């Protein structure tokens, strides 16, 4: 895929997830630095797809992109002082999965990507290659967003 094709696929799936669910809400919440949760998730989807293609592991493209777009689908501002946001790093994969399952029909691979993207903070490693890719790319994108 060309970079334009990647962007087109991600935009198409993000549009579907926005129409069928609450993905647009993630534009209202800050993730790292000044980056919105939405922009972070799109960035993770783009670089995850790029890496999967380079490694010839892109057989499950749509699931990879959907999982990446939904990996932080927790739908709240974790920076607010609220007891329910304590231990956000440990809890948000479970909240993201619960929200995604409420809004969409997910594949086993998509559930795995969402639930296990915080390994090793959450001691459940991904059980599919796409989960490992999103897990690693998420860390790289997070570091970039914090220091940029």
């Amino acid at each position: 895929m060309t970079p334009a094709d990647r962007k087109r696929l991600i935009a198409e799936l993000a549009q579907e997830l926005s129409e069928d669910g609450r993905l647009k809400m993630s534009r209202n919440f800050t993730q790292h630095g000044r980056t919105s949760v939405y922009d972070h998730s799109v960035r993770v989807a783009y670089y995850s797809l790029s890496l999967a293609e380079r490694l010839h592991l892109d057989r499950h493209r749509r699931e990879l992109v959907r999982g990446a777009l939904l990996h932080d689908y927790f739908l709240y501002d974790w920076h607010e002082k609220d007891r329910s946001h304590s231990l956000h790093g440990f809890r948000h994969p479970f909240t993201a999965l619960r929200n995604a399952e409420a809004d969409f029909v997910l594949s086993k691979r998509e559930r795995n990507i969402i639930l296990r993207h915080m390994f090793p903070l959450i001691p459940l490693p991904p059980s599919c290659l796409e989960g490992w890719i999103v897990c690693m790319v998420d860390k790289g994108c997070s570091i970039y967003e914090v220091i940029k």
Side-chain angles (χ1 to χ4, degrees):
M1 291 182 97
T2 67
D5 291 335
R6 264 184 235 119
K7 288 179 182 177
R8 209 172 358 265
L9 175 62
I10 292 165
E12 172 190 314
L13 292 174
Q15 182 65 32
E16 286 176 18
L17 296 173
S18 293
E19 289 172 0
D20 298 341
R22 298 172 281 172
L23 187 64
K24 275 186 196 167
M25 280 180 64
S26 65
R27 292 178 187 267
N28 300 322
F29 307 122
T30 302
Q31 181 64 316
H32 309 111
R34 294 183 180 171
T35 304
S36 72
V37 174
Y38 181 88
D39 290 340
H40 166 75
S41 297
V42 168
R43 182 175 287 120
V44 170
Y46 181 85
Y47 288 109
S48 293
L49 185 54
S50 297
L51 179 59
E53 288 172 356
R54 290 185 78 103
L55 298 173
H56 304 288
L57 300 172
D58 60 332
R59 212 167 26 126
H60 304 285
R61 272 188 194 137
R62 291 180 66 85
E63 289 173 295
L64 171 67
V65 171
R66 281 173 48 102
L69 289 171
L70 295 171
H71 81 280
D72 281 339
Y73 196 63
F74 46 82
L75 305 174
Y76 59 81
D77 183 354
W78 64 272
H79 299 89
E80 288 179 358
K81 300 296 181 210
D82 184 318
R83 289 193 65 189
S84 69
H85 302 167
S86 65
L87 301 174
H88 168 77
F90 295 96
R91 293 181 178 170
H92 83 269
F94 301 95
T95 304
L97 179 60
R98 192 170 43 254
N99 289 339
E101 287 180 325
D103 291 353
F104 311 105
V105 174
L106 301 175
S107 71
K108 182 178 178 182
R109 184 174 279 107
E110 290 165 343
R111 286 192 298 276
N112 188 264
I113 291 167
I114 296 165
L115 186 59
R116 300 189 179 191
H117 77 275
M118 286 301 289
F119 180 79
L121 190 59
I122 305 289
L124 298 169
S127 62
C128 63
L129 293 170
E130 295 79 10
W132 280 106
I133 290 169
V134 170
C135 181
M136 291 185 296
V137 170
D138 179 48
K139 308 292 182 275
C141 288
S142 298
I143 291 167
Y144 169 78
E145 291 162 6
V146 168
I147 64 173
K148 77 169 185 183

